[in-house]
Short mmCIF file of all heavy atoms in Angstrom, two decimals:
data_model
loop_
_atom_site.label_atom_id
_atom_site.label_comp_id
_atom_site.label_asym_id
_atom_site.label_seq_id
_atom_site.Cartn_x
_atom_site.Cartn_y
_atom_site.Cartn_z
N LEU W 1 61.24 -165.96 -0.21
CA LEU W 1 60.03 -165.35 0.37
C LEU W 1 59.25 -164.59 -0.70
O LEU W 1 58.01 -164.64 -0.73
CB LEU W 1 60.41 -164.41 1.51
CG LEU W 1 60.85 -165.08 2.82
CD1 LEU W 1 61.30 -164.02 3.83
CD2 LEU W 1 59.71 -165.92 3.41
N ALA W 2 59.96 -163.89 -1.57
CA ALA W 2 59.29 -163.14 -2.65
C ALA W 2 58.57 -164.09 -3.60
O ALA W 2 57.43 -163.84 -4.00
CB ALA W 2 60.31 -162.30 -3.41
N LEU W 3 59.23 -165.17 -3.94
CA LEU W 3 58.61 -166.15 -4.84
C LEU W 3 57.42 -166.83 -4.18
O LEU W 3 56.40 -167.11 -4.83
CB LEU W 3 59.64 -167.19 -5.28
CG LEU W 3 60.74 -166.67 -6.22
CD1 LEU W 3 61.86 -167.68 -6.35
CD2 LEU W 3 60.15 -166.33 -7.59
N TYR W 4 57.53 -167.11 -2.90
CA TYR W 4 56.41 -167.71 -2.16
C TYR W 4 55.22 -166.75 -2.11
O TYR W 4 54.07 -167.15 -2.32
CB TYR W 4 56.85 -168.06 -0.74
CG TYR W 4 55.73 -168.63 0.12
CD1 TYR W 4 55.32 -169.95 -0.03
CD2 TYR W 4 55.09 -167.83 1.06
CE1 TYR W 4 54.29 -170.47 0.74
CE2 TYR W 4 54.06 -168.34 1.84
CZ TYR W 4 53.66 -169.65 1.68
OH TYR W 4 52.63 -170.15 2.45
N LYS W 5 55.52 -165.47 -1.85
CA LYS W 5 54.46 -164.46 -1.82
C LYS W 5 53.76 -164.38 -3.17
O LYS W 5 52.52 -164.30 -3.25
CB LYS W 5 55.04 -163.10 -1.45
CG LYS W 5 54.01 -161.97 -1.42
CD LYS W 5 54.67 -160.64 -1.09
CE LYS W 5 53.63 -159.51 -1.13
NZ LYS W 5 54.26 -158.19 -0.87
N LYS W 6 54.54 -164.42 -4.24
CA LYS W 6 53.97 -164.36 -5.59
C LYS W 6 53.08 -165.57 -5.85
O LYS W 6 51.98 -165.45 -6.41
CB LYS W 6 55.09 -164.29 -6.62
CG LYS W 6 54.64 -164.38 -8.07
CD LYS W 6 53.70 -163.25 -8.44
CE LYS W 6 53.37 -163.30 -9.93
NZ LYS W 6 52.34 -162.31 -10.29
N THR W 7 53.54 -166.75 -5.43
CA THR W 7 52.75 -167.97 -5.61
C THR W 7 51.42 -167.88 -4.87
O THR W 7 50.36 -168.23 -5.42
CB THR W 7 53.53 -169.20 -5.11
OG1 THR W 7 54.72 -169.34 -5.86
CG2 THR W 7 52.70 -170.48 -5.27
N MET W 8 51.46 -167.39 -3.64
CA MET W 8 50.24 -167.25 -2.85
C MET W 8 49.28 -166.23 -3.48
O MET W 8 48.06 -166.44 -3.51
CB MET W 8 50.58 -166.83 -1.42
CG MET W 8 51.30 -167.89 -0.59
SD MET W 8 50.34 -169.43 -0.40
CE MET W 8 51.13 -170.49 -1.64
N GLU W 9 49.84 -165.13 -3.98
CA GLU W 9 49.01 -164.11 -4.62
C GLU W 9 48.34 -164.68 -5.87
O GLU W 9 47.16 -164.41 -6.13
CB GLU W 9 49.85 -162.89 -4.99
CG GLU W 9 50.25 -162.04 -3.80
CD GLU W 9 50.97 -160.78 -4.21
OE1 GLU W 9 51.25 -160.61 -5.43
OE2 GLU W 9 51.28 -159.95 -3.33
N ASP W 10 49.08 -165.46 -6.63
CA ASP W 10 48.51 -166.08 -7.85
C ASP W 10 47.40 -167.05 -7.49
O ASP W 10 46.37 -167.11 -8.18
CB ASP W 10 49.61 -166.80 -8.64
CG ASP W 10 50.57 -165.84 -9.31
OD1 ASP W 10 50.25 -164.64 -9.41
OD2 ASP W 10 51.67 -166.28 -9.71
N ARG W 11 47.60 -167.82 -6.43
CA ARG W 11 46.57 -168.77 -6.01
C ARG W 11 45.32 -168.06 -5.52
O ARG W 11 44.19 -168.47 -5.83
CB ARG W 11 47.13 -169.68 -4.90
CG ARG W 11 48.15 -170.70 -5.40
CD ARG W 11 48.66 -171.56 -4.26
NE ARG W 11 49.67 -172.50 -4.71
CZ ARG W 11 50.33 -173.32 -3.91
NH1 ARG W 11 50.08 -173.32 -2.60
NH2 ARG W 11 51.25 -174.14 -4.41
N LEU W 12 45.53 -166.98 -4.77
CA LEU W 12 44.39 -166.20 -4.29
C LEU W 12 43.62 -165.58 -5.45
O LEU W 12 42.39 -165.56 -5.46
CB LEU W 12 44.87 -165.10 -3.34
CG LEU W 12 45.28 -165.55 -1.93
CD1 LEU W 12 45.89 -164.39 -1.15
CD2 LEU W 12 44.08 -166.12 -1.17
N LEU W 13 44.37 -165.07 -6.43
CA LEU W 13 43.73 -164.48 -7.61
C LEU W 13 42.94 -165.54 -8.38
O LEU W 13 41.80 -165.29 -8.82
CB LEU W 13 44.78 -163.85 -8.52
CG LEU W 13 44.26 -163.24 -9.83
CD1 LEU W 13 43.26 -162.13 -9.53
CD2 LEU W 13 45.42 -162.71 -10.66
N GLU W 14 43.52 -166.73 -8.52
CA GLU W 14 42.84 -167.82 -9.22
C GLU W 14 41.56 -168.22 -8.48
O GLU W 14 40.51 -168.42 -9.09
CB GLU W 14 43.77 -169.01 -9.34
CG GLU W 14 43.16 -170.18 -10.11
CD GLU W 14 44.10 -171.37 -10.20
OE1 GLU W 14 45.24 -171.28 -9.70
OE2 GLU W 14 43.70 -172.40 -10.79
N THR W 15 41.66 -168.31 -7.15
CA THR W 15 40.49 -168.66 -6.34
C THR W 15 39.42 -167.59 -6.46
O THR W 15 38.22 -167.89 -6.59
CB THR W 15 40.89 -168.82 -4.86
OG1 THR W 15 41.86 -169.87 -4.74
CG2 THR W 15 39.68 -169.18 -4.00
N TYR W 16 39.84 -166.32 -6.43
CA TYR W 16 38.89 -165.22 -6.56
C TYR W 16 38.18 -165.27 -7.91
O TYR W 16 36.95 -165.09 -7.99
CB TYR W 16 39.63 -163.88 -6.42
CG TYR W 16 38.77 -162.68 -6.71
CD1 TYR W 16 37.85 -162.21 -5.78
CD2 TYR W 16 38.87 -162.02 -7.94
CE1 TYR W 16 37.05 -161.11 -6.07
CE2 TYR W 16 38.09 -160.92 -8.23
CZ TYR W 16 37.17 -160.47 -7.29
OH TYR W 16 36.39 -159.39 -7.58
N GLN W 17 38.94 -165.54 -8.96
CA GLN W 17 38.35 -165.63 -10.30
C GLN W 17 37.36 -166.79 -10.39
O GLN W 17 36.29 -166.66 -10.99
CB GLN W 17 39.44 -165.77 -11.34
CG GLN W 17 40.31 -164.53 -11.50
CD GLN W 17 41.50 -164.74 -12.41
OE1 GLN W 17 41.94 -165.88 -12.63
NE2 GLN W 17 42.04 -163.67 -12.95
N GLN W 18 37.71 -167.92 -9.78
CA GLN W 18 36.82 -169.08 -9.78
C GLN W 18 35.53 -168.77 -9.02
O GLN W 18 34.44 -169.14 -9.47
CB GLN W 18 37.53 -170.29 -9.17
CG GLN W 18 38.66 -170.84 -10.03
CD GLN W 18 39.44 -171.93 -9.33
OE1 GLN W 18 39.34 -172.12 -8.12
NE2 GLN W 18 40.25 -172.67 -10.08
N LEU W 19 35.67 -168.10 -7.87
CA LEU W 19 34.50 -167.75 -7.08
C LEU W 19 33.63 -166.73 -7.82
O LEU W 19 32.40 -166.81 -7.76
CB LEU W 19 34.93 -167.18 -5.72
CG LEU W 19 35.54 -168.18 -4.73
CD1 LEU W 19 36.05 -167.46 -3.50
CD2 LEU W 19 34.50 -169.23 -4.33
N THR W 20 34.28 -165.80 -8.50
CA THR W 20 33.53 -164.80 -9.28
C THR W 20 32.74 -165.47 -10.40
O THR W 20 31.56 -165.16 -10.62
CB THR W 20 34.50 -163.76 -9.88
OG1 THR W 20 35.19 -163.10 -8.82
CG2 THR W 20 33.73 -162.73 -10.70
N GLU W 21 33.39 -166.40 -11.11
CA GLU W 21 32.71 -167.12 -12.19
C GLU W 21 31.55 -167.96 -11.64
O GLU W 21 30.47 -168.01 -12.24
CB GLU W 21 33.72 -168.02 -12.91
CG GLU W 21 34.75 -167.25 -13.72
CD GLU W 21 35.81 -168.15 -14.31
OE1 GLU W 21 35.70 -169.38 -14.12
OE2 GLU W 21 36.73 -167.63 -14.97
N ALA W 22 31.79 -168.62 -10.49
CA ALA W 22 30.74 -169.44 -9.89
C ALA W 22 29.57 -168.57 -9.44
O ALA W 22 28.40 -168.94 -9.60
CB ALA W 22 31.30 -170.21 -8.69
N ASN W 23 29.88 -167.38 -8.91
CA ASN W 23 28.83 -166.46 -8.46
C ASN W 23 28.02 -165.95 -9.65
O ASN W 23 26.79 -165.84 -9.57
CB ASN W 23 29.46 -165.29 -7.71
CG ASN W 23 28.42 -164.33 -7.16
OD1 ASN W 23 27.59 -164.68 -6.33
ND2 ASN W 23 28.45 -163.10 -7.64
N GLN W 24 28.72 -165.65 -10.73
CA GLN W 24 28.03 -165.18 -11.94
C GLN W 24 27.12 -166.28 -12.50
O GLN W 24 25.99 -166.01 -12.92
CB GLN W 24 29.05 -164.75 -12.99
CG GLN W 24 29.82 -163.50 -12.62
CD GLN W 24 30.92 -163.17 -13.60
OE1 GLN W 24 31.36 -164.02 -14.38
NE2 GLN W 24 31.39 -161.94 -13.57
N LYS W 25 27.62 -167.51 -12.47
CA LYS W 25 26.84 -168.64 -12.96
C LYS W 25 25.60 -168.86 -12.08
O LYS W 25 24.50 -169.08 -12.59
CB LYS W 25 27.70 -169.90 -12.97
CG LYS W 25 26.98 -171.11 -13.54
CD LYS W 25 27.91 -172.32 -13.58
CE LYS W 25 27.19 -173.55 -14.14
NZ LYS W 25 28.09 -174.74 -14.17
N LEU W 26 25.81 -168.78 -10.76
CA LEU W 26 24.69 -168.95 -9.83
C LEU W 26 23.66 -167.84 -10.00
O LEU W 26 22.44 -168.10 -9.99
CB LEU W 26 25.22 -168.97 -8.40
CG LEU W 26 24.17 -169.12 -7.29
CD1 LEU W 26 23.40 -170.43 -7.45
CD2 LEU W 26 24.83 -169.05 -5.92
N THR W 27 24.14 -166.62 -10.17
CA THR W 27 23.24 -165.48 -10.38
C THR W 27 22.40 -165.68 -11.64
O THR W 27 21.20 -165.41 -11.65
CB THR W 27 24.04 -164.17 -10.49
OG1 THR W 27 24.78 -163.97 -9.27
CG2 THR W 27 23.11 -162.98 -10.71
N GLN W 28 23.05 -166.18 -12.71
CA GLN W 28 22.34 -166.43 -13.96
C GLN W 28 21.31 -167.54 -13.79
O GLN W 28 20.19 -167.45 -14.32
CB GLN W 28 23.34 -166.79 -15.05
CG GLN W 28 22.71 -166.94 -16.44
CD GLN W 28 22.05 -165.66 -16.91
OE1 GLN W 28 22.67 -164.60 -16.87
NE2 GLN W 28 20.80 -165.73 -17.35
N GLU W 29 21.69 -168.58 -13.05
CA GLU W 29 20.75 -169.69 -12.82
C GLU W 29 19.54 -169.22 -12.01
O GLU W 29 18.40 -169.64 -12.29
CB GLU W 29 21.47 -170.82 -12.08
CG GLU W 29 22.47 -171.57 -12.96
CD GLU W 29 23.21 -172.66 -12.20
OE1 GLU W 29 23.01 -172.74 -10.96
OE2 GLU W 29 23.96 -173.42 -12.83
N ILE W 30 19.78 -168.38 -11.01
CA ILE W 30 18.68 -167.82 -10.21
C ILE W 30 17.77 -166.98 -11.09
O ILE W 30 16.54 -167.06 -10.98
CB ILE W 30 19.24 -166.99 -9.05
CG1 ILE W 30 19.94 -167.90 -8.03
CG2 ILE W 30 18.13 -166.20 -8.36
CD1 ILE W 30 20.66 -167.16 -6.92
N GLU W 31 18.38 -166.18 -11.97
CA GLU W 31 17.60 -165.34 -12.86
C GLU W 31 16.78 -166.19 -13.83
O GLU W 31 15.60 -165.90 -14.09
CB GLU W 31 18.53 -164.40 -13.63
CG GLU W 31 17.82 -163.41 -14.54
CD GLU W 31 16.94 -162.43 -13.78
OE1 GLU W 31 17.22 -162.19 -12.59
OE2 GLU W 31 15.97 -161.91 -14.38
N ASN W 32 17.39 -167.25 -14.35
CA ASN W 32 16.68 -168.15 -15.26
C ASN W 32 15.53 -168.85 -14.54
O ASN W 32 14.44 -169.02 -15.10
CB ASN W 32 17.64 -169.19 -15.83
CG ASN W 32 18.65 -168.58 -16.77
OD1 ASN W 32 18.45 -167.48 -17.30
ND2 ASN W 32 19.76 -169.28 -17.00
N HIS W 33 15.79 -169.25 -13.29
CA HIS W 33 14.75 -169.91 -12.49
C HIS W 33 13.59 -168.94 -12.23
O HIS W 33 12.42 -169.33 -12.29
CB HIS W 33 15.34 -170.39 -11.17
CG HIS W 33 14.34 -171.04 -10.26
ND1 HIS W 33 13.83 -172.30 -10.50
CD2 HIS W 33 13.74 -170.59 -9.13
CE1 HIS W 33 12.96 -172.60 -9.54
NE2 HIS W 33 12.89 -171.58 -8.69
N LYS W 34 13.95 -167.70 -11.95
CA LYS W 34 12.93 -166.68 -11.69
C LYS W 34 12.06 -166.46 -12.92
O LYS W 34 10.82 -166.38 -12.83
CB LYS W 34 13.61 -165.37 -11.28
CG LYS W 34 12.65 -164.24 -10.94
CD LYS W 34 13.41 -163.00 -10.54
CE LYS W 34 12.46 -161.84 -10.23
NZ LYS W 34 13.23 -160.61 -9.85
N LYS W 35 12.71 -166.37 -14.09
CA LYS W 35 11.97 -166.17 -15.33
C LYS W 35 11.08 -167.39 -15.63
O LYS W 35 9.93 -167.23 -16.07
CB LYS W 35 12.94 -165.94 -16.49
CG LYS W 35 13.65 -164.60 -16.42
CD LYS W 35 14.61 -164.43 -17.59
CE LYS W 35 15.31 -163.08 -17.52
NZ LYS W 35 16.28 -162.91 -18.64
N ALA W 36 11.62 -168.59 -15.40
CA ALA W 36 10.84 -169.81 -15.64
C ALA W 36 9.63 -169.87 -14.71
O ALA W 36 8.53 -170.27 -15.11
CB ALA W 36 11.72 -171.04 -15.43
N ARG W 37 9.84 -169.45 -13.46
CA ARG W 37 8.73 -169.46 -12.49
C ARG W 37 7.66 -168.45 -12.89
O ARG W 37 6.47 -168.73 -12.79
CB ARG W 37 9.28 -169.13 -11.10
CG ARG W 37 8.23 -169.23 -9.99
CD ARG W 37 8.87 -169.00 -8.65
NE ARG W 37 7.88 -169.10 -7.58
CZ ARG W 37 8.16 -168.94 -6.30
NH1 ARG W 37 9.40 -168.67 -5.92
NH2 ARG W 37 7.21 -169.04 -5.38
N GLN W 38 8.10 -167.28 -13.33
CA GLN W 38 7.14 -166.26 -13.78
C GLN W 38 6.35 -166.75 -14.99
O GLN W 38 5.13 -166.55 -15.07
CB GLN W 38 7.88 -164.96 -14.11
CG GLN W 38 8.45 -164.25 -12.89
CD GLN W 38 9.31 -163.05 -13.27
OE1 GLN W 38 9.78 -162.93 -14.40
NE2 GLN W 38 9.51 -162.14 -12.33
N ALA W 39 7.08 -167.42 -15.91
CA ALA W 39 6.40 -167.95 -17.09
C ALA W 39 5.40 -169.03 -16.70
O ALA W 39 4.29 -169.11 -17.26
CB ALA W 39 7.43 -168.51 -18.07
N LEU W 40 5.77 -169.86 -15.74
CA LEU W 40 4.88 -170.91 -15.27
C LEU W 40 3.63 -170.33 -14.62
O LEU W 40 2.51 -170.82 -14.83
CB LEU W 40 5.62 -171.81 -14.27
CG LEU W 40 4.85 -173.01 -13.72
CD1 LEU W 40 4.47 -173.96 -14.86
CD2 LEU W 40 5.67 -173.74 -12.67
N GLN W 41 3.82 -169.27 -13.83
CA GLN W 41 2.69 -168.61 -13.18
C GLN W 41 1.74 -168.01 -14.22
O GLN W 41 0.51 -168.09 -14.08
CB GLN W 41 3.19 -167.53 -12.22
CG GLN W 41 3.89 -168.08 -10.99
CD GLN W 41 4.52 -167.00 -10.14
OE1 GLN W 41 4.79 -165.89 -10.62
NE2 GLN W 41 4.76 -167.31 -8.87
N ILE W 42 2.32 -167.41 -15.26
CA ILE W 42 1.49 -166.83 -16.32
C ILE W 42 0.71 -167.91 -17.04
O ILE W 42 -0.50 -167.78 -17.29
CB ILE W 42 2.37 -166.03 -17.31
CG1 ILE W 42 2.96 -164.80 -16.62
CG2 ILE W 42 1.57 -165.64 -18.54
CD1 ILE W 42 3.98 -164.06 -17.46
N ASN W 43 1.40 -169.01 -17.37
CA ASN W 43 0.74 -170.12 -18.06
C ASN W 43 -0.35 -170.75 -17.20
O ASN W 43 -1.41 -171.14 -17.70
CB ASN W 43 1.77 -171.18 -18.46
CG ASN W 43 2.68 -170.72 -19.57
OD1 ASN W 43 2.33 -169.83 -20.35
ND2 ASN W 43 3.88 -171.29 -19.65
N HIS W 44 -0.04 -170.84 -15.90
CA HIS W 44 -1.04 -171.40 -14.98
C HIS W 44 -2.28 -170.52 -14.93
O HIS W 44 -3.42 -171.03 -14.91
CB HIS W 44 -0.44 -171.54 -13.58
CG HIS W 44 -1.40 -172.08 -12.57
ND1 HIS W 44 -1.78 -173.40 -12.53
CD2 HIS W 44 -2.11 -171.44 -11.57
CE1 HIS W 44 -2.64 -173.58 -11.54
NE2 HIS W 44 -2.85 -172.41 -10.95
N ALA W 45 -2.05 -169.21 -14.90
CA ALA W 45 -3.18 -168.28 -14.86
C ALA W 45 -4.02 -168.39 -16.13
O ALA W 45 -5.26 -168.36 -16.09
CB ALA W 45 -2.66 -166.85 -14.68
N LYS W 46 -3.33 -168.52 -17.28
CA LYS W 46 -4.05 -168.67 -18.55
C LYS W 46 -4.83 -169.98 -18.57
O LYS W 46 -5.98 -170.02 -19.02
CB LYS W 46 -3.06 -168.63 -19.71
CG LYS W 46 -2.42 -167.27 -19.94
CD LYS W 46 -1.45 -167.32 -21.11
CE LYS W 46 -0.84 -165.96 -21.38
NZ LYS W 46 0.13 -166.01 -22.51
N TYR W 47 -4.16 -171.04 -18.08
CA TYR W 47 -4.82 -172.34 -18.04
C TYR W 47 -6.04 -172.30 -17.12
O TYR W 47 -7.12 -172.82 -17.47
CB TYR W 47 -3.84 -173.40 -17.55
CG TYR W 47 -4.46 -174.73 -17.21
CD1 TYR W 47 -4.80 -175.63 -18.22
CD2 TYR W 47 -4.73 -175.08 -15.89
CE1 TYR W 47 -5.38 -176.85 -17.92
CE2 TYR W 47 -5.33 -176.29 -15.58
CZ TYR W 47 -5.64 -177.18 -16.59
OH TYR W 47 -6.22 -178.38 -16.28
#
């Protein structure tokens, strides 16, 4: 039971880390998209 509990905790930790990395990546992509959109709006206004 102790070994099973440890295995489950490790899997949960791994899943949490994967979700955290995916969330960070998504946040960065959203930020990049936001910056690209702002740059496009500025260029459009200049054009």
Side-chain angles (χ1 to χ4, degrees):
L1 286 176
L3 291 168
Y4 177 78
K5 179 182 177 182
K6 174 61 175 173
T7 299
M8 291 300 100
E9 286 185 356
D10 289 345
R11 288 180 182 176
L12 285 173
L13 178 60
E14 182 181 359
T15 300
Y16 173 77
Q17 292 173 338
Q18 291 174 345
L19 289 174
T20 299
E21 291 174 2
N23 183 62
Q24 292 174 341
K25 183 178 179 180
L26 179 59
T27 300
Q28 186 61 50
E29 289 178 354
I30 292 174
E31 183 64 25
N32 292 340
H33 178 74
K34 182 179 178 181
K35 290 180 179 179
R37 185 175 180 181
Q38 290 174 340
L40 182 62
Q41 290 174 339
I42 292 172
N43 289 337
H44 179 74
K46 291 180 178 179
Y47 169 79

